[in-house]
């Protein structure tokens, strides 16, 4: 869409920085009638930029004005209530990863390291495709808010792509257990996750059986512990080691089918511990598979879970250290609605804390990479390059080994090596070396006056947060308005400290 | 939020020449730091094919086609170290180091419990734990960095080659690779722009996201510029010869930086390629040659700085004692660790469990916890406590390597 640019407040004031080598500015064309009634104010733009930084994988050129025209708050609430549409079809031809795990295993057999062959497709190709598909979807998804929440849950219910057979099950896990509930009810997602082969395998519940079962290795507490610590109550959720053990006993017999029914959830009554258990003071009577479902719904409904998830959502969208008052408001809504995720997010979107937190957070490497690609209106041609860039920044998609997921806080990502890698990526991206097609002429037209180019960078790239130092740098760089100069200005904008802020 | 004066000055000055001059002047007077270099041999090194237990008959029955022959006249025979062990012939340069008193080998080391996944085992080792559950949130070298404090160099801890070495996770370590090129040339427009945007720390006041990026970024730029400057200074060092392979070039960089910058304390680098499931003899010949020529050149190059440098090389696990059906070996447990340095007690260390009793009928047992080796080196060489490096870990094996 056409971008309306206000020249007044954002025009560069650094005319003194033009060296003697720079040719005199050509007489500027008469200003376009930019101050049409529809042109949003800078305040409205800044609010929109903030909304898009938090609730999308980054603003594309034009997004900020479009959002501002609708009103940032109204836009987010509409995105929140937007009907889910299936976007998978757009990606499935390029990334053949949406089939059933059994089909994927046939097409991408596990590589036998002893008979390594270069020609046949194997599971290593699949792992690349799976991560590339995920990244590409983050960048290109139409319904960005939902996609951001999908990523939030992928990270909350983290599984490790490379463990055992998860490479075959992870896409179905995301599509079937996480995505349908991403804005729905938490307890439904919790049950879907607990019964998915990816989680059953990742946290070993599939190999946990009642003690003294014939030929068994006994109880494995891994999933039960993380269920309490990471998925529901939180580490300070008041449970004991005994609760962990009892929860593990409830979930004995929850496993994965063999052979033909591999990759499906099965309940094996003979491996299930059929004696009563007590968790957080609540007695669970023997009840087969339903007993486990009851436990999951019980945990989802606990007030500790409401507070734990409310805080995590606030840390994702508002601040690394959110106010307790906001957390409590979100938690209260969570409790009232029995874990309606959409309702909890609505509290955040309508909170003054959210709108007052502009630029308070640091993008994670994933958010940096996706937002850079989107800011330049890039067309992803080789997502594998993006995947490798993220790996260098220590945040490979689906690559977190431990079940905590990746951290969100700035303190975890503001490292020297990490920042240098971002500067390098900014350069690579605009030079066309990141597997993304970038049309610099479309972003920064050669025939526009310098002030207008700076205005474009200020809004489209930097979301209205350009500092004086960065503005001076961009102004000097754009003294050269050749393709080289404009490309360089774009790289510098993406490499700037302000672009790292969220 | 306003930045503290100290942070502001540190960051703002970091890019100016004045601080670099101060660093250099100070470094002339400061005692030169002790240095620990850690090489992670990724892929699971088959210790039995490198430090060959030729004294055990079982070795030859377990490995009918790939065993390294007993010391003697045979082509490709092991080089005798003692009555039990010999080195693979490609390790000849390291045998010389051992004879010169610079090399200790700790046999049968590894994780306290077998983990046979590369990713899991490397991750657990680099974070310095025993298993994935409840593991620390930072790497063990990051903890070492904090315990050591600042020795006055932006390069006090750095990695070469890889940019995401997990043992440095949580440290403000510099990755020498992966930074934009040309940071030493302020005439380059991209560099000039970066220097200005990351120079004035007050510029993005009020935007905490941008200012945390700016602090880290300005430190990163300063570190890389310092590195490039040290690299220029290194041209005046006495010439030493290094093998031309990538690992050799990386070690050459490490050696040079240690010699010109007295503030270097911790260095991490990788050598991969050890996952020898098939055709092992050929692969190992090349791999061991790369390792041995690199490490030996490194040790020799240190000259008068050799007293303060120790290099440790570890791998995530060893491999099956028996060879598999494709003249290779599969993932196992116990392997060995190298400790290289002028201060070490040269020779073979650790308790050898033998090949007649294998863990789960297949693997060499790890009788020495890898943390015993690292904690020993950490306390004797760097003066940091075992508990600080590996919280909650009770040292077991009594090692006297240093």
């Amino acid at each position: 869409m056409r971008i309306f640019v206000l020249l007044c407040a954002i025009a560069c004031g650094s005319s003194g920085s033009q060296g003697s080598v720079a040719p005199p500015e050509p007489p500027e064309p008469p200003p376009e009638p930019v101050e049409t009634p529809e042109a949003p104010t800078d305040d409205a733009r800044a609010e929109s930029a903030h909304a898009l930084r938090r609730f999308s994988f980054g603003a594309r050129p034009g997004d900020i004005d479009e959002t501002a025209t609708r009103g940032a708050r109204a836009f987010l609430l509409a995105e929140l209530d937007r009907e889910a549409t299936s976007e998978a079809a757009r990606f499935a031809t390029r990334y053949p990863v949406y089939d059933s795990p059994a089909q994927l295993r046939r097409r991408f057999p596990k590589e036998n390291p002893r008979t390594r062959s270069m020609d046949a497709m194997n599971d290593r190709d699949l792992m690349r495709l799976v991560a590339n598909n995920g990244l590409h979807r983050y960048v290109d998804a139409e319904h960005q808010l939902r996609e951001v929440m999908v990523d939030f849950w992928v990270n909350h219910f983290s599984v490790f792509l490379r463990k055992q057979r998860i490479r075959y099950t992870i896409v179905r896990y995301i599509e079937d257990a996480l995505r349908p509930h991403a804005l729905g009810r938490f307890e439904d997602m919790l049950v879907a996750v607990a019964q998915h082969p990816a989680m059953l395998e990742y946290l070993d519940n599939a190999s946990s059986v009642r003690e003294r079962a014939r030929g068994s290795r006994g109880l494995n507490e891994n999933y039960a512990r993380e269920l309490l610590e990471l998925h529901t109550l939180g580490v300070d959720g008041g449970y004991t080691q005994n609760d962990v053990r009892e929860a593990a006993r409830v979930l004995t017999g929850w496993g994965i089918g063999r052979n033909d029914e591999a990759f499906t959830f099965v309940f094996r009554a003979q491996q299930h511990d059929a004696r009563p258990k007590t968790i957080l003071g609540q007695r669970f009577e023997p009840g087969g598979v339903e007993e486990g479902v009851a436990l999951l719904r019980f945990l989802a409904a606990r007030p500790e879970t409401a507070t734990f998830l409310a805080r995590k959502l606030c840390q994702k969208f508002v601040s690394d250290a959110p106010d307790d008052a906001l957390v409590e408001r979100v938690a209260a809504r969570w409790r009232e609605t029995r874990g309606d995720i959409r309702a909890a997010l609505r509290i955040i979107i309508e909170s003054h804390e959210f709108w007052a937190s502009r630029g308070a957070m640091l993008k994670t490497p994933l958010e940096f990479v996706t937002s850079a690609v989107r800011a330049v209106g890039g067309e992803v041609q080789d997502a594998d390059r993006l995947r490798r860039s993220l790996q260098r920044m220590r945040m490979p998609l689906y690559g977190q080994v431990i079940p905590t997921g990746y951290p969100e806080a700035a303190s975890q990502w503001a490292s020297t090596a990490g920042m240098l890698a971002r500067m390098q990526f900014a350069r690579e991206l605009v030079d066309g070396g990141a597997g993304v097609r970038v049309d610099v002429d479309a972003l920064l037209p050669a025939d526009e006056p310098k002030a207008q180019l700076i205005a474009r960078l200020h809004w489209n790239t930097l979301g209205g947060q350009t500092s004086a130092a960065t503005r001076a740098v961009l102004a000097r760089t754009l003294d050269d308005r050749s393709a080289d100069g404009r490309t360089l200005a774009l790289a510098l904008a993406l490499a700037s400290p302000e672009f790292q802020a969220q | 939020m306003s930045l503290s004066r100290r942070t502001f000055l540190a960051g703002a000055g970091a890019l100016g020449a004045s601080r670099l001059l101060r660093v250099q002047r100070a470094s002339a007077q400061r005692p030169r730091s002790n240095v620990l270099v850690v090489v992670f041999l990724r892929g699971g090194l088959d210790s039995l094919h490198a430090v060959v237990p030729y004294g055990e008959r079982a070795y030859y029955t377990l490995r009918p086609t790939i065993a390294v022959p007993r010391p003697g006249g045979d082509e490709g025979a092991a080089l005798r170290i003692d009555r039990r062990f010999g080195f693979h012939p490609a390790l000849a340069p390291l045998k010389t180091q051992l004879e010169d008193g610079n090399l200790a080998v700790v046999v049968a080391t590894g994780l306290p419990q077998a983990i046979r996944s590369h990713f899991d085992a490397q991750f657990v080792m680099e974070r310095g734990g025993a298993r994935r559950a409840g593991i620390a949130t930072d790497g063990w070298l990051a903890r070492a960095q904090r315990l050591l404090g600042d020795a006055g160099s932006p390069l006090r801890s750095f990695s070469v080659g890889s940019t995401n070495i997990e043992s440095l996770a949580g440290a403000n370590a510099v990755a020498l690779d992966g930074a934009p090129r040309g940071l030493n040339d302020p005439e380059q427009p991209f560099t000039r722009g970066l220097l200005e945007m990351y120079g004035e720390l007050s510029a993005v006041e009020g935007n905490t996201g941008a200012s945390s990026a700016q602090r880290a970024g300005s430190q990163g730029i300063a570190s890389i510029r310092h590195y490039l400057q040290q690299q220029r200074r290194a041209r005046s060092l006495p010439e030493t010869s290094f093998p031309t392979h990538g690992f050799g070039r990386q070690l050459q960089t490490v050696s040079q930086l240690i010699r010109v910058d007295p503030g270097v304390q911790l260095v991490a680098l990788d050598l991969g390629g050890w996952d020898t499931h098939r055709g092992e003899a050929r692969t190992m010949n090349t791999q061991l040659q790369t390792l041995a020529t690199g490490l030996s050149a490194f040790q020799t190059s240190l000259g008068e700085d050799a007293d303060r440098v120790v290099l440790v090389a570890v791998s995530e696990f060893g491999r099956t004692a028996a060879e598999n059906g494709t003249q290779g070996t599969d993932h196992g447990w116990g392997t060995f660790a190298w400790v290289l340095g002028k201060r070490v007690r040269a020779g073979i260390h650790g308790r050898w469990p033998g090949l007649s009793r294998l863990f789960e009928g297949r693997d060499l047992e790890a009788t020495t916890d890898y943390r015993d080796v690292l904690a020993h080196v950490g306390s004797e060489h760097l003066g940091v406590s075992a508990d600080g490096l590996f919280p909650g870990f009770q040292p077991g094996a009594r090692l006297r390597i240093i």
Side-chain angles (χ1 to χ4, degrees):
Chain A
M1 69 167 281
R2 181 82 185 91
I3 305 156
F4 296 100
V5 183
L6 289 174
L7 295 176
C8 44
I10 39 193
C12 107
S14 61
S15 51
S17 71
Q18 291 177 24
S20 54
V21 279
E25 288 272 319
E28 300 206 350
E32 290 177 47
V34 287
E35 301 238 28
T36 59
E38 307 95 72
T41 64
D42 280 0
D43 274 355
R45 282 201 176 102
E47 286 210 329
S48 304
H50 173 61
L52 292 167
R53 275 193 298 269
R54 296 286 171 84
F55 281 97
S56 79
F57 284 98
R60 290 167 309 183
D63 281 355
I64 290 174
D65 275 22
E66 193 178 308
T67 305
T69 308
R70 296 172 63 183
R73 186 178 307 233
F75 168 79
L76 285 186
L77 292 172
E79 284 293 287
L80 187 65
D81 288 334
R82 184 167 153 189
E83 285 288 320
T85 49
S86 172
E87 295 194 36
R90 285 205 290 134
F91 298 88
T93 39
R94 187 158 181 175
Y95 304 101
V97 296
Y98 290 89
D99 295 334
S100 74
Q103 284 169 311
L104 291 179
R105 190 165 58 174
R106 276 195 295 279
R107 190 170 320 136
F108 302 95
K110 199 147 183 170
E111 185 191 53
N112 181 346
R114 298 185 194 172
T115 54
R116 216 163 257 175
S117 133
M118 302 308 273
D119 35 316
M121 294 281 261
N122 62 37
D123 62 325
R124 290 152 83 94
D125 301 305
L126 176 64
M127 287 191 284
R128 279 192 287 273
L129 284 170
V130 164
N132 295 348
N133 167 70
L135 261 176
H136 200 155
R137 271 190 91 162
Y138 287 170
V139 170
D140 276 357
E142 278 300 314
H143 194 175
Q144 282 279 304
L145 185 145
R146 176 177 289 270
E147 204 64 26
V148 166
M149 284 310 292
V150 167
D151 180 60
F152 177 84
W153 296 117
V154 161
N155 200 49
H156 182 77
F157 292 111
S158 183
V159 297
F160 179 46
L161 176 63
R162 294 173 184 274
K163 181 168 176 172
Q164 294 171 354
R165 294 171 297 174
I166 291 173
R167 61 204 65 181
Y168 298 118
T169 53
I170 187 169
V171 173
R172 291 316 330 162
Y173 170 66
I174 296 167
E175 297 305 303
D176 302 338
L178 302 180
R179 184 180 293 280
H181 309 294
L183 291 169
R185 288 171 59 88
F186 178 74
E187 65 175 64
D188 296 338
M189 181 158 35
L190 189 67
V191 173
V193 166
Q195 297 189 339
H196 202 281
M199 186 57 80
L200 286 162
E201 189 160 69
Y202 177 56
L203 290 177
D204 306 319
N205 202 74
S207 52
S208 178
V209 301
R210 78 183 158 88
E211 284 165 317
R212 293 193 299 274
R214 197 196 313 242
S216 79
R217 291 198 284 183
L219 217 50
N220 185 317
E221 296 174 1
N222 198 6
Y223 173 66
R225 179 179 310 280
E226 306 306 4
L227 170 65
L228 302 185
E229 178 184 326
L230 299 174
H231 296 171
T232 60
L233 306 172
V235 69
D236 302 318
Y239 59 91
T240 64
Q241 168 56 32
N242 196 53
D243 292 324
V244 170
R245 201 165 173 78
E246 296 280 285
R249 288 179 51 213
V250 169
L251 295 164
T252 47
W254 286 44
I256 307 172
R258 297 193 188 89
N259 304 326
D260 284 352
E261 37 159 32
F263 304 119
T264 55
F265 168 70
V266 294
F267 176 73
R268 296 189 175 91
Q270 71 281 11
Q271 295 182 349
H272 178 68
D273 183 335
R275 290 165 302 164
K277 302 97 182 168
T278 304
I279 295 149
L280 300 169
Q282 167 84 34
R283 208 173 137 87
F284 287 83
E285 298 301 338
V289 66
E290 285 311 317
E291 184 191 327
V293 175
L295 169 66
L296 294 166
R297 296 197 189 277
F298 166 75
L299 289 171
R302 293 288 299 190
E304 295 89 346
T305 301
T307 306
F308 181 61
L309 267 300
R311 185 173 302 281
K312 200 162 175 177
L313 286 169
C314 292
Q315 285 168 336
K316 168 75 182 171
F317 293 110
V318 183
S319 153
D320 290 351
D323 285 348
D324 286 345
L326 174 64
V327 173
E328 179 42 37
R329 279 178 0 248
V330 177
R333 192 81 188 115
W334 183 286
R335 292 193 300 267
E336 288 155 23
T337 59
R338 288 199 59 194
D340 180 334
I341 296 158
R342 191 178 264 127
L345 287 176
R346 196 171 291 122
I347 299 289
I348 292 179
I349 292 170
E350 289 176 340
S351 74
H352 63 90
E353 287 93 339
F354 169 70
W355 295 100
S357 67
R358 222 179 269 173
M361 300 173 79
L362 180 73
K363 288 173 184 169
T364 65
L366 173 67
E367 289 159 347
F368 164 72
V369 166
T370 56
S371 65
V373 174
R374 286 174 63 84
V376 299
E379 183 199 326
V380 177
Q381 292 178 319
D382 180 6
D384 206 56
R385 302 262 196 105
L386 296 177
R387 181 185 65 82
R388 294 202 299 267
S389 296
L390 265 181
Q391 204 159 3
R392 283 196 291 276
M393 297 177 196
R394 313 180 59 91
M395 199 181 184
L397 189 58
Y398 317 133
Q400 174 64 299
V401 186
I402 50 173
T404 53
Y406 289 112
E408 174 68 33
S411 58
Q412 298 292 313
W413 296 113
S415 73
T416 54
M419 288 304 138
L420 291 167
R422 292 184 190 202
M423 296 171 201
Q424 170 64 13
F425 178 81
R427 189 83 225 235
E428 263 173 35
L429 176 66
V430 298
D431 288 344
V436 176
R437 206 180 72 82
V438 181
D439 185 350
V440 177
D441 287 330
L443 289 164
L444 301 172
D447 55 356
E448 277 188 11
K450 186 164 85 172
Q452 199 153 338
L453 295 180
I454 292 173
R456 283 179 184 271
L457 288 168
H458 174 66
W459 284 115
N460 285 337
T461 317
L462 292 166
Q465 303 198 95
T466 321
S467 72
T470 298
R471 179 162 305 170
V473 166
L474 296 178
R476 192 190 58 235
T477 307
L478 285 170
D479 284 343
D480 168 12
R481 276 182 294 154
S482 69
D484 280 359
R486 284 174 290 129
T487 305
L488 183 66
L490 193 56
L492 284 164
L494 297 175
S496 70
E498 299 93 300
F499 188 75
Q500 317 311 317
Q502 195 186 23
Chain B
M1 189 198 101
S2 78
L3 294 162
S4 77
R5 182 181 147 75
R6 191 176 159 273
T7 326
F8 174 76
L9 290 177
L15 296 169
S18 64
R19 184 163 183 265
L20 289 180
L21 285 174
R22 270 205 314 282
V23 168
Q24 276 162 26
R25 219 175 297 130
S27 67
Q29 300 138 15
R30 218 194 341 268
R32 298 167 83 78
S33 303
N34 276 3
V35 188
L36 176 62
V37 180
V38 180
V39 179
F40 208 113
L41 305 167
R42 293 185 195 271
L45 187 149
D46 184 13
S47 61
L48 300 179
H49 200 80
V51 179
V52 180
Y54 74 86
E56 289 207 43
R57 182 171 300 172
Y59 176 68
Y60 293 95
T61 41
L62 287 163
R63 299 186 165 200
T65 72
I66 64 168
V68 179
R70 292 182 179 83
D74 286 1
E75 196 191 337
L79 311 168
R80 187 180 192 279
I81 300 296
D82 61 19
R83 280 184 309 167
R84 187 185 274 150
F85 295 107
F87 276 8
H88 185 284
L91 294 176
L94 287 181
K95 180 166 184 276
T96 310
Q97 291 295 343
L98 188 140
E99 286 159 359
D100 290 349
N102 296 328
L103 179 67
V105 183
V106 193
V107 295
T109 62
L111 287 159
Q113 299 152 359
I115 300 178
R116 294 197 185 91
S117 143
H118 294 295
F119 296 95
D120 266 9
Q122 290 177 18
F123 183 83
V124 169
M125 259 193 185
E126 296 194 77
R127 293 267 176 115
R131 66 190 74 78
R132 217 167 48 170
I135 199 145
T137 53
D138 52 5
W140 75 273
L141 280 176
R143 295 194 288 277
Q145 185 201 48
R146 271 197 295 284
L147 294 166
L148 283 168
D150 191 346
S153 167
L155 285 179
R156 64 184 188 274
S157 52
F158 66 87
S159 64
V160 194
S162 178
T163 57
N164 57 351
I165 291 183
E166 194 64 41
S167 54
L168 284 166
N172 227 341
V174 180
L176 296 190
D177 304 78
R181 278 180 290 280
L183 280 180
N184 55 337
D185 179 6
E187 296 306 308
Q188 278 200 22
F190 189 60
T191 302
R192 188 170 161 203
L194 290 177
L195 290 174
E196 286 173 32
M197 293 191 300
Y198 283 85
E200 283 281 335
L201 282 200
S202 59
V204 282
E205 203 166 332
N207 183 322
T208 46
S211 48
S212 63
Q214 198 179 31
R215 268 194 303 277
S218 90
Q219 259 184 50
I221 293 172
S223 308
I224 293 294
R225 286 166 66 78
H226 176 76
Y227 155 59
L228 295 167
Q229 193 185 37
Q230 297 297 314
Q231 223 182 16
R232 279 198 299 279
R233 288 183 61 207
R235 293 196 195 120
S236 60
L237 288 170
E239 193 121 324
T240 53
S241 79
F242 270 87
T244 54
H245 48 69
F247 184 60
R249 281 200 302 275
Q250 290 174 355
L251 283 169
Q252 183 169 26
T253 301
V254 174
S255 164
Q256 287 172 345
L257 291 175
I258 288 172
R259 284 179 288 152
V260 295
D261 184 346
V264 171
Q265 293 170 312
L266 300 167
V267 184
L269 66 160
D270 289 342
L271 179 61
W274 301 98
D275 197 15
T276 49
H277 288 279
R278 66 194 196 107
E280 172 164 344
R282 221 168 105 184
T283 310
M284 282 295 271
N285 199 38
T286 321
Q287 287 284 119
L288 293 173
Q289 211 164 348
T290 303
L291 181 70
T293 51
L295 293 188
S296 177
F298 175 76
Q299 183 60 33
T300 308
S301 72
L302 293 173
E304 59 189 28
D305 291 294
D307 273 337
R308 57 190 189 90
V309 181
V310 169
L311 180 149
V312 182
V314 295
S315 189
E316 69 265 33
F317 47 63
R319 309 187 71 84
T320 48
E323 67 180 62
N324 62 25
T326 53
Q327 283 85 53
T329 48
D330 299 316
H331 302 182
W333 185 17
T335 181
F336 62 75
W338 302 107
V339 186
L340 181 69
K342 202 170 166 189
R343 301 184 59 201
V344 307
R345 289 193 180 82
I348 308 273
H349 298 254
R351 189 170 71 74
W352 179 247
L355 294 177
S356 46
R357 191 177 56 96
L358 295 170
F359 172 69
E360 292 183 354
R362 50 177 271 162
D363 299 337
L364 181 71
E365 206 183 309
T367 56
T368 300
D369 192 314
Y370 76 102
R371 293 170 295 181
D372 275 314
V373 180
L374 301 177
H376 172 75
V377 173
S379 67
E380 295 303 316
H381 184 61
L382 299 176
V384 296
S385 72
D387 195 55
L389 285 182
F390 304 107
F393 167 61
Q394 297 293 326
R398 283 263 170 87
L399 293 168
R400 295 182 69 238
I401 307 169
I402 296 179

